Amino acid sequence: MIVNRAISLTQPWATLMAIGAKGVETRSWKTVYRGWIAIHAAKAFPLHCKTLCRTQPFASSLAKAGIEDLNSIPLGCVIAVVSLVKCLPAEMLTDLPWVERAFGDYSSGRYGFLCSDLRRLREPIPMKGALGIWRLDRPIRDEDLI
C-alpha cells in the first residue's frame, strides 16, 4: 500500500478517527476522491476543543483508548490511514449511531466522508497540514503501519 493523499483534522477528531471511534468526517464541501487517505492531526489544538474532550461522548471514547492526558495527544503529524469510500450529503446519513453523530456536524448542506479499513501508524510522522485533501510530503507505506 502507498498512501499519497491526506486530510487534516483538528484534535480530538483526528484521534477519534485513528482509534476507530469515528468513521465519518463531516465537511462543508464534497469530494470525488476515493481511496486511501492519511489522517493528519492539525498542529493547533484550540481551547474550546480541549474543553470538548472533557464532555461526553468524547471523554469516554478517548479514555477507552487509554488517552487520559490531553498533552499527549499528537499534533502536526500523520497518525493513521483510512479508505475514503463514499461522500454523501449529511441529510442522507440519518441511520448513524448517536456517538458518530456527536462527533460530526450533520447540518443541512454538509457532507459526510465515509471511511473504513482503519490502519494506525507505528509512530506519528511529523508533517505540515493543509486545507482540503492534499498531497503528502512523503508517501505512507506498509512498513509505516501497524
Side-chain angles (χ1 to χ4, degrees):
M1 166 192 320
I2 297 176
V3 181
N4 291 310
R5 306 281 179 154
I7 188 166
S8 294
L9 282 67
T10 302
Q11 290 292 16
W13 295 277
T15 291
L16 291 167
M17 184 74 76
I19 63 176
K22 173 180 169 63
V24 180
E25 172 59 13
T26 57
R27 296 286 165 136
S28 61
W29 46 274
K30 61 183 172 182
T31 183
V32 296
Y33 179 81
R34 302 293 180 271
W36 289 101
I37 190 165
I39 302 301
H40 175 265
K43 190 173 183 178
F45 192 5
L47 181 58
H48 72 277
C49 295
K50 289 179 183 179
T51 301
L52 191 63
C53 290
R54 294 181 186 92
T55 68
Q56 293 302 335
F58 294 86
S60 58
S61 295
L62 293 169
K64 186 176 177 181
I67 301 165
E68 304 279 342
D69 180 9
L70 295 181
N71 293 322
S72 69
I73 230 165
L75 299 172
C77 56
V78 173
I79 58 175
V81 299
V82 294
S83 179
L84 196 164
V85 295
K86 285 185 186 177
C87 176
L88 297 172
E91 294 88 356
M92 293 181 66
L93 301 171
T94 57
D95 60 344
L96 296 172
W98 76 271
V99 173
E100 184 72 56
R101 293 192 72 77
F103 294 152
D105 178 354
Y106 293 88
S107 56
S108 180
R110 294 184 60 85
Y111 297 89
F113 298 1
L114 283 69
C115 300
S116 66
D117 303 320
L118 166 70
R119 301 271 316 267
R120 294 189 72 175
L121 269 68
R122 291 182 188 284
E123 294 291 328
I125 300 173
M127 209 171 288
K128 280 188 174 182
L131 296 175
I133 293 176
W134 48 277
R135 189 166 289 282
L136 291 164
D137 296 340
R138 77 139 177 104
I140 306 300
R141 301 180 184 279
D142 278 327
E143 52 268 22
D144 296 315
L145 305 171
I146 295 174

